């Protein structure tokens, strides 16, 4: 296939990026950076910057201005009316002198230029209440928000040095996943967000979803997470052994989602869906308590929030799932929607119980976890 016909196939077959076209904010490193003021980004802001560069946050071309910010916080829409669920902002201590600044990571490495459009004040408590549904600073997302600098700096970015991906073999930009989907002839693709090892329950959800579409994108988040989440390196190995052993390779792609977790629950579910639309997904799996933390969100809040948008307004279609389990009476994986039996027939292990077993070097039941996955986790606990 020539490049041109391939391009036509892409536009004809796959879902359009959010806002209509994929943003590319990569560019050449300018000659003279030394004369410019430098703004140091947190690791979360570096993740956002890289996603701006790749178009994962299309149609955003930079950190949000006040008009977009206000409307996102209040109404989950950008100023132009497109749905958008979470602020993508750069917090600074003071307004820069010049109209152009260098953005650097915490080690001082220059990554990008930002053309200053606006510097504005924001209300942390209101952002917390609206975006996280709580102003409790025990919530990790709220704590991070409260610790931020007091002003937002807005403007388009041009990224000339992208952070080296932690997992190069899994590093695919939206343009890459779209090309691969097109090459494989997939039109309808379901995206699966995860920040955990995949056990039988989630394997089941992804396969049920896959039955109705052409392809499955397993898209684990590898950006910053809470310290008590399973480390990304162990998770990546879990995905590899699981997919090698139990998924058909011509219908599944595993790639890393470079975002940092915000733990914003329902709003983050919408944000995750919109990002996956940019990667070429037409559908997105939303389970129970998606992107939640602690007891801050109701079990189904991350599903119910999608009703706040007009039908098809998001473009990408959410697929809602119940908690899944192996039922001995059914003799199969099931959910409360598809199994009439009681809890005694269900193989259920709490997260605490699973961690105990793994830490002791014991395999959980095969109805709960594939042994290959459990072995990887046991090894991770050992080291
Ligand atoms: Zn049953």
């Amino acid at each position: 296939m020539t490049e041109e016909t391939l391009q036509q196939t892409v536009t004809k077959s796959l879902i359009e990026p959010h806002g209509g076209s994929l943003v590319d904010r990569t560019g050449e490193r300018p000659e003279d950076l030394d004369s410019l003021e430098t703004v140091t980004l947190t690791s979360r802001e570096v993740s956002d910057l890289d996603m701006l560069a790749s178009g994962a946050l299309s149609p955003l071309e930079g950190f949000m201005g006040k008009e977009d910010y206000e409307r996102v916080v209040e109404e989950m829409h950008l100023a132009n009316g497109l749905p958008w669920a979470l602020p993508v902002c750069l917090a600074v201590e003071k307004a820069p002198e010049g109209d152009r600044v260098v953005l650097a990571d915490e080690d001082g490495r220059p990554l990008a230029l930002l053309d200053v459009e606006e510097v504005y004040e924001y209300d942390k408590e209101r952002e917390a209440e609206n975006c996280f549904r709580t102003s409790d600073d025990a919530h990790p997302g709220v704590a991070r928000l409260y610790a931020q600098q007091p002003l937002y700096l807005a403007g388009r970015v041009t990224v000339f040095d992208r952070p080296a991906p932690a997992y190069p073999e899994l590093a695919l930009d939206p343009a890459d996943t779209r090309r691969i989907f097109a090459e494989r002839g997939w039109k309808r693709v379901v995206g699966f967000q995860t920040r955990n090892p995949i056990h039988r329950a989630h394997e089941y959800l992804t396969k049920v979803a896959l039955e109705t579409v052409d392809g499955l994108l397993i898209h684990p988040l590898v950006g910053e997470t809470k310290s008590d989440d399973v480390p990304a390196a162990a998770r990546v190995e879990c995905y590899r052994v699981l997919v090698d052993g139990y998924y058909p390779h011509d219908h599944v792609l595993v790639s890393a989602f470079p975002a940092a977790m915000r733990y914003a629950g329902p709003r983050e579910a919408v944000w995750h869906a919109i990002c996956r639309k940019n990667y070429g997904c037409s559908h997105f799996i939303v389970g129970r308590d998606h992107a939640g933390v602690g007891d801050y969100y109701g079990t189904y809040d991350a599903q119910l929030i999608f009703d706040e948008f007009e039908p098809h307004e998001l473009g990408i279609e959410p697929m809602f799932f119940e908690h899944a389990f192996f039922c001995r009476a059914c003799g199969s994986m099931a959910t409360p929607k598809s199994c009439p039996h009681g809890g005694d027939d269900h193989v259920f292990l709490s997260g605490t119980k699973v961690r105990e077993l793994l830490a002791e070097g014991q395999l959980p039941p095969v109805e709960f976890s594939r042994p290959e996955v459990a072995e990887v986790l046991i090894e991770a606990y050992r080291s």
Side-chain angles (χ1 to χ4, degrees):
M1 214 184 280
T2 66
E3 192 63 30
E4 193 182 349
T5 53
L6 180 61
Q7 208 52 44
Q8 285 167 355
T9 316
V10 172
T11 42
K12 274 189 201 141
S13 60
L14 285 173
I15 190 170
E16 283 200 338
H18 201 49
S21 55
L22 209 53
V23 167
D24 178 357
R25 294 309 305 163
T26 57
E28 291 293 306
R29 184 192 180 101
E31 291 287 312
D32 182 24
L33 295 177
D34 295 344
S35 59
L36 298 173
E37 195 174 327
T38 296
V39 172
T40 303
L41 272 51
T42 63
S43 66
R44 198 267 295 158
E45 289 160 350
V46 170
S47 288
D48 286 355
L49 178 70
D50 195 51
M51 291 171 71
L52 288 167
S54 73
L57 299 180
S58 300
L60 301 189
E61 299 187 326
F63 290 99
M64 279 181 179
K66 189 175 167 72
E67 210 185 334
D68 278 333
Y69 171 77
E70 290 292 333
R71 193 142 178 228
V72 165
V73 170
E74 290 297 329
E75 299 171 39
M76 288 200 292
H77 285 77
L78 296 170
N80 68 8
L82 267 183
W84 196 270
L86 287 171
V88 176
C89 294
L90 172 54
V92 293
E93 190 183 357
K94 58 180 176 49
E97 305 270 325
D99 54 9
R100 199 165 229 215
V101 295
V102 176
L103 306 181
D105 67 13
E106 281 165 331
D107 298 327
R109 191 168 70 126
L111 304 173
L113 288 176
L114 179 141
D115 288 300
V116 178
E117 281 158 26
E118 207 179 350
V119 181
Y120 57 98
E121 292 180 348
Y122 64 105
D123 181 339
K124 291 182 178 179
E125 201 154 333
R126 189 184 56 132
E127 184 178 325
E129 282 292 351
N130 286 12
C131 297
F132 296 99
R133 301 191 178 185
T134 176
S135 53
D136 179 1
D137 64 6
H139 182 293
V142 174
R144 188 162 55 191
L145 171 61
Y146 284 4
Q148 277 181 182
Q149 299 290 359
L151 299 169
Y152 280 149
L153 169 61
R156 290 212 320 173
V157 295
T158 306
V159 181
F160 49 78
D161 192 2
R162 295 183 59 188
Y167 307 96
E169 73 284 11
L170 299 183
L172 297 173
D173 285 339
D176 301 321
T177 52
R178 286 176 167 274
R179 190 192 66 249
I180 293 168
F181 296 167
E183 283 167 0
R184 295 185 180 185
W186 300 354
K187 292 185 178 127
R188 290 149 51 89
V189 182
V190 63
F192 178 61
Q193 146 74 28
T194 178
R195 62 175 202 268
N196 291 306
I198 300 178
H199 296 298
R200 295 289 300 273
H202 287 108
E203 179 186 334
Y204 175 72
L205 305 191
T206 58
K207 287 182 171 176
V208 168
L210 175 56
E211 294 289 0
T212 72
V213 295
D214 306 315
L216 165 68
L217 174 65
I218 297 179
H219 216 202
L221 181 143
V222 299
E224 188 181 62
T225 59
K226 292 187 281 100
S227 55
D228 57 342
D229 284 345
V230 176
R235 288 191 287 117
V236 165
E237 183 59 13
C238 287
Y239 306 137
R240 195 186 61 74
V241 297
L242 181 70
V243 170
D244 276 355
Y246 299 96
Y247 284 78
H249 288 198
D250 50 350
H251 288 286
V252 176
L253 179 67
V254 184
S255 169
F257 182 53
M261 272 308 292
R262 286 161 157 81
Y263 301 99
R267 279 200 183 218
E268 194 159 7
V270 174
W271 192 75
H272 277 162
I274 291 172
C275 295
R276 272 40 179 255
K277 180 184 174 186
N278 288 326
Y279 283 89
C281 295
S282 55
H283 293 74
F284 184 65
I285 293 172
V286 183
R288 294 170 21 140
D289 201 23
H290 185 108
V293 61
D295 298 327
Y296 291 100
Y297 309 108
T299 305
Y300 297 102
D301 285 358
Q303 301 183 350
L304 294 170
I305 194 172
F306 284 85
D307 291 340
E308 295 179 32
F309 296 90
E310 297 296 322
H312 313 299
E313 188 185 0
L314 293 167
I316 188 166
E317 294 296 327
M319 298 174 93
F320 301 135
F321 282 95
E322 282 280 351
H323 176 64
F325 44 75
F326 186 90
C327 173
R328 292 192 187 94
C330 290
S332 65
M333 296 299 296
T335 76
K337 267 185 180 167
S338 54
C339 158
H341 306 110
D344 289 350
D345 290 315
H346 300 165
V347 178
F348 174 80
L349 281 81
S350 70
T352 314
K353 179 73 193 164
V354 176
R355 278 190 294 274
E356 270 173 29
L357 285 174
L358 296 170
E360 290 165 9
Q362 292 188 49
L363 294 179
V366 290
E367 294 87 356
F368 180 86
S369 187
R370 299 291 187 188
E372 295 88 341
V373 172
E375 296 281 6
V376 171
L377 292 171
I378 287 171
E379 195 51 46
Y381 272 92
R382 264 192 208 125
S383 51

